[in-house]
Amino acid sequence: MPLHLAPSLSRRQFLKHAALTGAALMLPHELFAGEHDDTHWALLSDTHIAADSDLVFREVHLTNHLRRAVGEVLTMRRPAGVFINGDCALKDGQPGDYVTLISVLKPLMSNFPLHLTLGNHDHRQNIRAALSENKKPVLESKHVSLIQSSRANWILLDSLDKVNVTPGLLEEEQRRWLAKTLDAHSDKPAL
């Protein structure tokens, strides 16, 4: 909650504002969940969600693990948005993997802008279909984005070459888009 104290406040006005501010600071943090600035972001990475929401993989209950992370993001100081950094799906990006992923992410999607990148375990067409992405993508062959904030521009790239195979690849089309985007938005740092 921003505080603005003007030098022309009378002593009575100052005490009134100070009392209200002090009372507000004693209220639970959750009451301020609607306030945020665009300098706070949440990052989740390598969710590896499978269609089977009860799957335990390498001794980790993947869906419950993501549910806990989603819950933690919801209790944070309200972030400007949430990034999911690649490998949304467990192995090879089956349609059911994304159905489960979206069901777990719904609370975030209802509260914050959500930005996804793809990893080598994702399937570009399946995730686009699951997200009902009806708008024309920036690049037909890749999932790229420019997210602008007050202090920096976030540039999300897509190195997915073949599903469930490493390494990735930044092809010529994407490199041209990146150069053009960096040139067009050189007023702020790029992340």
Side-chain angles (χ1 to χ4, degrees):
M1 172 187 299
L3 302 174
H4 303 283
L5 297 176
S8 61
L9 288 177
S10 70
R11 182 175 184 267
R12 178 174 283 176
Q13 289 170 319
F14 175 80
L15 291 174
K16 178 182 172 185
H17 284 174
L20 289 172
T21 300
L25 292 173
M26 298 177 96
L27 294 172
H29 174 73
E30 293 77 28
L31 294 178
F32 299 103
E35 296 188 17
H36 75 282
D37 60 44
D38 69 355
T39 60
H40 293 86
W41 296 80
L43 171 66
L44 305 176
S45 189
D46 297 276
T47 58
H48 288 284
I49 296 299
D52 178 2
S53 63
D54 293 320
L55 180 71
V56 174
F57 183 74
R58 296 185 182 165
E59 300 180 28
V60 176
H61 190 294
L62 301 169
T63 304
N64 283 349
H65 188 75
L66 180 57
R67 281 189 184 112
R68 281 193 304 275
V70 166
E72 289 178 25
V73 170
L74 292 171
T75 64
M76 292 173 55
R77 176 177 175 189
R78 185 173 168 84
V82 178
F83 293 110
I84 308 254
N85 183 36
D87 289 342
C88 298
L90 177 62
K91 184 177 178 184
D92 58 0
Q94 295 298 309
D97 300 346
Y98 300 115
V99 170
T100 302
L101 175 75
I102 290 167
S103 72
V104 176
L105 295 177
K106 279 227 187 277
L108 292 180
M109 296 166 73
S110 299
N111 288 284
F112 314 109
L114 182 65
H115 308 285
L116 301 165
T117 60
L118 304 179
N120 66 302
H121 294 287
D122 290 310
H123 188 284
R124 193 173 293 105
Q125 288 73 27
N126 288 346
I127 197 167
R128 282 182 175 172
L131 293 172
S132 301
E133 195 173 281
N134 295 327
K135 65 181 181 179
K136 187 176 186 324
V138 175
L139 297 178
E140 197 62 43
S141 65
K142 294 290 184 174
H143 184 80
V144 297
S145 302
L146 167 67
I147 312 300
Q148 296 179 299
S149 68
S150 63
R151 295 186 184 183
N153 293 318
W154 299 86
I155 297 176
L156 308 182
L157 300 173
D158 177 354
S159 63
L160 175 60
D161 185 28
K162 295 177 184 161
V163 178
N164 203 23
V165 175
T166 55
L169 179 67
L170 293 179
E171 296 162 334
E172 182 63 29
E173 178 188 31
Q174 188 171 192
R175 291 193 311 265
R176 278 194 310 269
W177 174 84
L178 175 60
K180 183 178 172 182
T181 301
L182 289 170
D183 289 344
H185 300 279
S186 61
D187 58 323
K188 288 183 263 183
L191 304 170

